[in-house]
Amino acid sequence: MTGHRRLRTFDATNRYGLVILLIVLTYAVSAAASKRPFTSVVILVQLVTVWLAFSVSESRRAQRVAGGAIVAVAGVALVGLVVGGSPPPEAGADGLDATFFAISALLYLVAPVVILRHLIRRPVIDVQTLAGAVASYLLLGMMFAFAYRALGTVQTAPLFFGSDGSGTMSDDLFFSFVTLTTTGYGNLVPAANPGQSLAVVEAILGQLFLVTAVGKIVSDYGRRGRRPSEEPGSGQG
C-alpha cells in the first residue's frame, strides 16, 4: 500500500512537471506563431496542457467542465483553421478570435484555482506541491495573456497598446509575464481601460501569489525533514 501511494505521488509530480514543460514550450511556439491557422493549433496544444492540469488535480467535476469547454474551443479553432489567413473584419474574424481567446482565458483562470484547491487539501509539502504552485503561477500569466489578446482583437479606439497597435500574441505573452513579475520595462503599455485595470490586477495577483503561496510552500519545504534541534533558535544548553 505504501509503495502504491509513493507511485501515485511520483506520477502526479511528473505530470505537474509536464504541465510546466508544456507551458514553457507552448509559450515559445505561441510567440513565434503569427497567422491564425498556426495560432489555432498552438492554442489547442495549450488547452491540452490545461486538461492535464485538471487531471492532476483529481477533480472529476472540473475535468468534465474543462472537457466541455475544450470541445467548444476546439470547434472555434477548427473554424479558424478552415477560414485561415487573415480575413477582413467584416468577415467576422475579430469576433471569432475574441471568442476563442476569451474562452481560453477562462480555462486558464479556472485551472490554477483547481490546482491550488488540490494542493491546499494535501496534508504534506513536497515536490508535487512545489511543482503545482509553479504551474499555477505560469498558468496565471498565460490567462492574462489570452485576456489581453481578446481585448486587443476587439479594441479599436484607441488600439490596445496605443501607438504600438493592437499587438500580437507574442506581445501579449511578453507583456503579461513582465506585468505578472512586476518587471515593468514600459515598452508596451495599455492605452486605456479595461486593459490598464486588468494589468493592475495581474501585477497585484502576481506579487500576492509569490509572497503567500509560493513563498510559504518554499519555506515549509525547506524545513521538511529538519529535526527540532536543527530549527533556528532551538540551541541546546
Side-chain angles (χ1 to χ4, degrees):
M1 181 66 71
T2 301
H4 180 65
R5 285 199 299 268
R6 288 180 178 177
L7 181 61
R8 289 183 59 187
T9 300
F10 178 77
D11 181 55
T13 302
N14 283 346
R15 284 185 288 169
Y16 272 132
L18 181 59
V19 171
I20 295 173
L21 179 62
L22 286 175
I23 292 172
V24 173
L25 177 62
T26 51
Y27 177 101
V29 179
S30 297
S34 57
K35 295 182 180 180
R36 187 192 303 157
F38 298 103
T39 303
S40 299
V41 173
V42 168
I43 297 189
L44 280 177
V45 176
Q46 291 178 325
L47 293 177
V48 172
T49 306
V50 174
W51 170 253
L52 182 60
F54 281 109
S55 176
V56 178
S57 70
E58 301 174 358
S59 173
R60 293 186 178 180
R61 179 182 299 178
Q63 290 177 29
R64 289 194 296 267
V65 174
I70 288 174
V71 169
V73 177
V76 177
L78 181 61
V79 173
L81 286 170
V82 173
V83 173
S86 299
E90 59 268 25
D94 288 349
L96 179 66
D97 289 343
T99 302
F100 182 85
F101 289 112
I103 296 175
S104 299
L106 181 60
L107 282 175
Y108 273 80
L109 172 63
V110 176
V113 173
V114 172
I115 291 176
L116 289 175
R117 179 172 174 267
H118 171 237
L119 297 180
I120 290 172
R121 292 186 173 186
R122 299 186 71 250
V124 295
I125 303 293
D126 54 12
V127 176
Q128 180 184 358
T129 310
L130 182 59
V134 172
S136 298
Y137 186 70
L138 295 177
L139 285 168
L140 277 178
M142 298 299 293
M143 182 274 290
F144 279 100
F146 281 123
Y148 296 138
R149 184 87 295 268
L151 288 175
T153 301
V154 298
Q155 188 169 321
T156 56
L159 296 176
F160 186 78
F161 289 117
S163 60
D164 291 318
S166 59
T168 63
M169 192 68 220
S170 177
D171 293 330
D172 294 313
L173 286 166
F174 171 79
F175 175 73
S176 177
F177 281 94
V178 166
T179 303
L180 185 70
T181 57
T182 64
T183 304
Y185 290 121
N187 56 332
L188 290 174
V189 180
N193 277 319
Q196 292 176 342
S197 297
L198 195 60
V200 171
V201 172
E202 180 177 16
I204 294 174
L205 284 179
Q207 285 301 294
L208 288 177
F209 192 94
L210 285 177
V211 172
T212 58
V214 177
K216 175 64 174 175
I217 289 172
V218 170
S219 175
D220 289 349
Y221 182 78
R223 291 197 299 267
R224 189 189 63 166
R226 189 183 287 179
R227 297 178 181 177
S229 60
E230 296 174 337
E231 292 289 342
S234 61
Q236 298 178 356

